[in-house]
Amino acid sequence: MAGVQTAVALREQGWTGPVTLLGAEPHQPYDRPPLSKAVLLGKAEDSAFDVDFEELRIELRLGVEVTGLRAADREVDTEAGPVPYEVLVLATGALPLTLPGAEGVPGVHLLRTLDDAARLRPVLAAGSAVVVVGAGWIGAEFATAAREAGCAVTVVEAADRVLAGALPAEVAEPMGAWYAQAGAELLTGARVASVEPGRVLLADGRALPAGAVVVGIGARPATGWLAGSGVELGADGAVVADEWLRTSVPGVYAVGDCASFPSGRYGSRLLVHHWDNALQGPRVVAADILAGGSGEQVYDPVPYFWSEQFGRFVQYAGHHGGADAMVWRGDPGADTWSACWLREGRLVAVLAVGRPRDLAQGRRLIESGALVDPAKVSDPGVALKSTLR
């Protein structure tokens, strides 16, 4: 997403020089969200972007993995030989974390690529008993698809709740109830001891039958190939980009899942592993490249993502780290509700379950930085846009 959008944005904004897009996968560039939905369930063969690369004069070089960067020579190394650049944009995304000891065990799957989805389709079509390791966003979305396909699903989560790394306990708790409502068994506080063909063994001695195991325990920036390049990486492995998404090496930018950036809005550095970040960042990168690095437009978005799980449409905008208050809008036990986070009387984040207007209006309030009335915010009958002080 980030690489394609950068190439397209360069052309849209007037770049007339050559543009080369390198990709390790052999497939035409594709969108990832449908992989855990339509593609996985066999409702679509692929999710290729509707982009005419030839018409845009974007050279696609597929199946070419980049193995190193030599900034002094302005070249990247690939298995097919060095590729020179004038300006380089790193858009290598993230790699899913693997379950220690499960590598190479038959029936163990990840869900990140088109090939991953293709391998999982027959598993769902056969109605196999599935164990999902990790109750994060990907785990919930896969469990949703597996239940829709008629599979018996058990979700194993080491933390004491779902979405432990993403949301506070009081907000994640009602979302944990969705699993049982959908007919999926959720085991929290459960650690995997080992995975064997046909079963998963837990640390407490339980054995779970598993026709397939799907691991969704997070991802890390795909930046290992940058070792020794001079590009600064953070402790989280992300490329440390500035407010224009430039890296520590002149002429090199980084965008999408592989890069963190400083947010003036939130006063902290953000690493956002979501689709919208890979859509918005490239426009800033392209503008800075065309401006010769003059830094007119900084990147400081209101992060946004969505998830479809267990018959619910979940949306989130903002960043709740640093909030000093959380306000419910509606009953979290109901089908639709929202949670709003405030800092010093201003909305900084909103999570909306089946309330798209809350999300749209909340996002605009976050962007404006306007003061809101918490009492009005807590009334689900009052439009968020009408909660200004």
Side-chain angles (χ1 to χ4, degrees):
M1 181 66 170
V4 168
Q5 290 298 326
T6 302
V8 171
L10 282 165
R11 288 295 186 229
E12 287 179 343
Q13 295 181 31
W15 178 264
T16 58
V19 176
T20 302
L21 188 58
L22 303 175
E25 292 185 64
H27 309 291
Q28 284 286 307
Y30 59 87
D31 207 6
R32 291 194 191 281
L35 297 186
S36 61
K37 306 170 184 71
V39 174
L40 190 60
L41 289 168
K43 297 176 181 178
E45 283 304 310
D46 60 37
S47 54
F49 290 115
D50 186 17
V51 175
D52 191 332
F53 294 100
E54 187 174 351
E55 182 181 347
L56 290 173
R57 294 181 297 110
I58 296 168
E59 180 189 359
L60 274 185
R61 296 185 59 183
L62 304 176
V64 177
E65 184 171 356
V66 177
T67 57
L69 164 61
R70 288 177 289 108
D73 298 326
R74 295 231 166 188
E75 287 183 340
V76 291
D77 290 320
T78 77
E79 296 163 324
V83 178
Y85 67 84
E86 179 183 343
V87 177
L88 177 65
V89 181
L90 310 177
T92 47
L95 295 170
L97 296 173
T98 56
L99 190 63
E103 297 93 333
V105 177
V108 177
H109 300 264
L110 299 169
L111 181 52
R112 182 78 184 183
T113 68
L114 185 61
D115 289 336
D116 291 338
R119 283 188 286 266
L120 278 164
R121 277 167 65 165
V123 171
L124 267 59
S128 306
V130 178
V131 172
V132 181
V133 182
W137 300 113
I138 287 292
E141 291 186 3
F142 178 81
T144 298
R147 286 299 300 139
E148 186 177 331
C151 298
V153 177
T154 303
V155 180
V156 177
E157 171 55 54
D160 61 356
R161 63 181 189 275
V162 304
L163 295 164
L167 295 173
E170 66 269 28
V171 179
E173 183 180 4
M175 301 170 78
W178 300 349
Y179 287 75
Q181 293 168 14
E185 184 178 9
L186 173 65
L187 305 178
T188 55
R191 293 190 173 274
V192 174
S194 64
V195 178
E196 301 174 353
R199 67 176 189 166
V200 174
L201 301 177
L202 302 184
D204 61 9
R206 283 179 288 180
L208 307 176
V213 178
V214 177
V215 178
I217 55 175
R220 67 179 187 278
T223 56
W225 65 280
L226 289 166
S229 68
V231 173
E232 182 185 355
L233 303 180
D236 52 13
V239 175
V240 177
D242 66 11
E243 55 265 51
W244 300 281
L245 299 177
R246 305 171 192 151
T247 74
S248 58
V249 173
V252 180
Y253 295 78
V255 66
D257 289 6
C258 72
S260 68
F261 57 90
S263 171
R265 186 190 311 277
Y266 291 105
S268 62
R269 178 166 286 276
L270 302 182
L271 175 59
V272 181
H273 280 192
H274 293 297
W275 184 91
D276 193 65
N277 181 47
L279 174 69
Q280 305 294 343
R283 297 167 185 168
V284 172
V285 169
D288 200 65
I289 291 172
L290 271 104
S294 61
E296 296 173 8
Q297 180 184 358
V298 301
Y299 188 57
D300 196 6
V302 173
Y304 166 76
F305 72 89
W306 79 97
S307 176
E308 295 177 71
Q309 50 183 269
F310 308 118
R312 294 165 173 84
F313 188 44
V314 182
Q315 294 172 284
Y316 178 96
H319 175 65
H320 63 268
D324 52 36
M326 199 275 284
V327 178
W328 292 107
R329 281 173 64 79
D331 177 6
D335 288 338
T336 65
W337 50 271
S338 296
C340 296
W341 287 268
L342 309 179
R343 186 180 66 219
E344 298 176 353
R346 293 173 172 82
L347 190 67
V348 292
V350 58
L351 174 79
V353 177
R355 292 180 65 94
R357 286 186 180 176
D358 278 4
L359 189 288
Q361 294 177 15
R363 194 176 185 179
R364 287 193 286 271
L365 284 175
I366 297 168
E367 288 171 346
S368 73
L371 288 168
V372 295
D373 182 339
K376 291 180 179 178
V377 170
S378 68
D379 185 346
V382 176
L384 274 179
K385 65 181 181 181
S386 302
T387 62
L388 293 172
R389 278 194 182 280

